[in-house]
Amino acid sequence: MLHTQPRPTEVQETVFIVDDDEAVRDSLQWLIETEGYQVRTFEDPELFLEQLQWPQPCVLLLDIRMPKLSGLEVQKTLNERGIPIPIVFITGHGDVTLAVETMKNGAVDFLEKPFDESKIKELIHQHMRLAHDLAQNAKLDEQINKLYSKLTTRELQVLERIVSGRLNKQIADDLNISIKTVEAHRANIMDKLQVTTVADLLKIALRKSPELAQP
């Protein structure tokens, strides 16, 4: 069965700060670096989106109001790209409506300026643990996608029927092929997906395509 390695201690944990206020960026960077994190700051949110590499364990401190691209627009772009970085929005405006919207769109927290330093440290530690899990899951999905790309169209058809509980004879009838051919396809699928049991095969298939679990 595919598995990810235990979380290595040498993995660099990064906190991204995207804010058009230089003083805010500098003060946050100093504060967070004292906690042992790598910090990267951006005045331009578009540059952040351009340079971001995913997956990696990271947390994003994101200003909600910026002239070139708002924090909400950055959040929307990340959501569209399927990049689930934990986002802590920062603002000096205390806009409750915006806070609610960001949380509905997946933000994990919302902070007002001026900041409580102990609260920032607490949030970073808390959400970095979540960030590790998100990055680990993304890497596993990448690995599964890479293995899936090796399957032929016919093997995908056989796999879908295996997951739905069809027997070899039924699969052979469905696809108008011999049982021996079905068995050969099964063996190839197991080999290409690097599994040795049907249970592990099902775990991968259902992670790749959760809708296959629907009756």
Side-chain angles (χ1 to χ4, degrees):
M1 171 62 183
L2 277 173
H3 64 278
T4 53
Q5 297 298 321
R7 182 185 305 169
T9 55
E10 68 272 12
V11 169
Q12 182 65 67
E13 299 173 326
T14 302
V15 177
F16 293 103
I17 301 169
V18 181
D19 195 308
D20 61 317
D21 187 325
E22 183 179 5
V24 170
R25 295 197 307 273
D26 289 346
S27 63
L28 284 173
Q29 180 172 8
W30 176 85
L31 175 65
I32 295 168
E33 283 181 342
T34 63
E35 297 298 297
Y37 296 109
Q38 172 178 266
V39 177
R40 294 191 61 194
T41 66
F42 293 85
E43 177 182 6
D44 183 350
E46 293 179 339
L47 185 62
F48 162 72
L49 290 170
E50 178 183 320
Q51 295 188 3
L52 175 64
Q53 294 185 344
W54 175 258
Q56 61 171 305
C58 58
V59 173
L60 171 60
L61 299 185
L62 179 62
D63 190 12
I64 203 165
R65 295 182 185 272
M66 293 177 287
K68 294 187 66 174
L69 199 68
S70 74
L72 285 171
E73 290 172 313
V74 173
Q75 181 186 38
K76 180 181 178 182
T77 299
L78 290 172
N79 287 342
E80 289 173 346
R81 294 180 182 177
I83 301 177
I85 297 176
I87 300 175
V88 177
F89 274 98
I90 52 181
T91 181
H93 302 275
D95 193 321
V96 176
T97 302
L98 281 179
V100 172
E101 185 173 351
T102 64
M103 300 298 276
K104 285 182 177 179
N105 291 333
V108 292
D109 261 301
F110 190 92
L111 288 174
E112 291 184 75
K113 305 171 188 176
F115 307 117
D116 180 329
E117 293 187 358
S118 62
K119 179 64 173 178
I120 292 175
K121 293 178 181 180
E122 177 187 337
L123 288 177
I124 295 298
H125 291 316
Q126 173 187 342
H127 298 315
M128 192 60 75
R129 291 192 290 270
L130 169 63
H132 271 282
D133 292 337
L134 292 170
Q136 188 177 51
N137 284 333
K139 288 177 181 178
L140 179 57
D141 287 337
E142 282 186 352
Q143 187 180 6
I144 289 175
N145 288 338
K146 184 176 180 180
L147 295 177
Y148 250 74
S149 69
K150 300 177 181 179
L151 299 178
T152 65
T153 300
R154 179 62 87 189
E155 287 166 351
L156 287 170
Q157 293 172 339
V158 171
L159 177 57
E160 182 178 352
R161 286 162 174 79
I162 293 173
V163 174
S164 66
R166 305 285 284 173
L167 303 175
N168 283 357
K169 184 179 185 308
Q170 294 172 316
I171 296 173
D173 291 340
D174 290 344
L175 301 177
N176 196 28
I177 55 179
S178 70
I179 294 178
K180 285 189 176 295
T181 300
V182 173
E183 292 172 346
H185 283 315
R186 287 182 73 121
N188 286 338
I189 292 168
M190 302 279 281
D191 181 60
K192 290 180 179 180
L193 295 185
Q194 299 179 6
V195 295
T196 56
T197 68
V198 174
D200 286 343
L201 177 66
L202 293 178
K203 289 177 185 177
I204 289 182
L206 294 176
R207 182 182 181 94
K208 171 69 175 176
S209 304
E211 67 275 5
L212 294 179
Q214 301 300 319

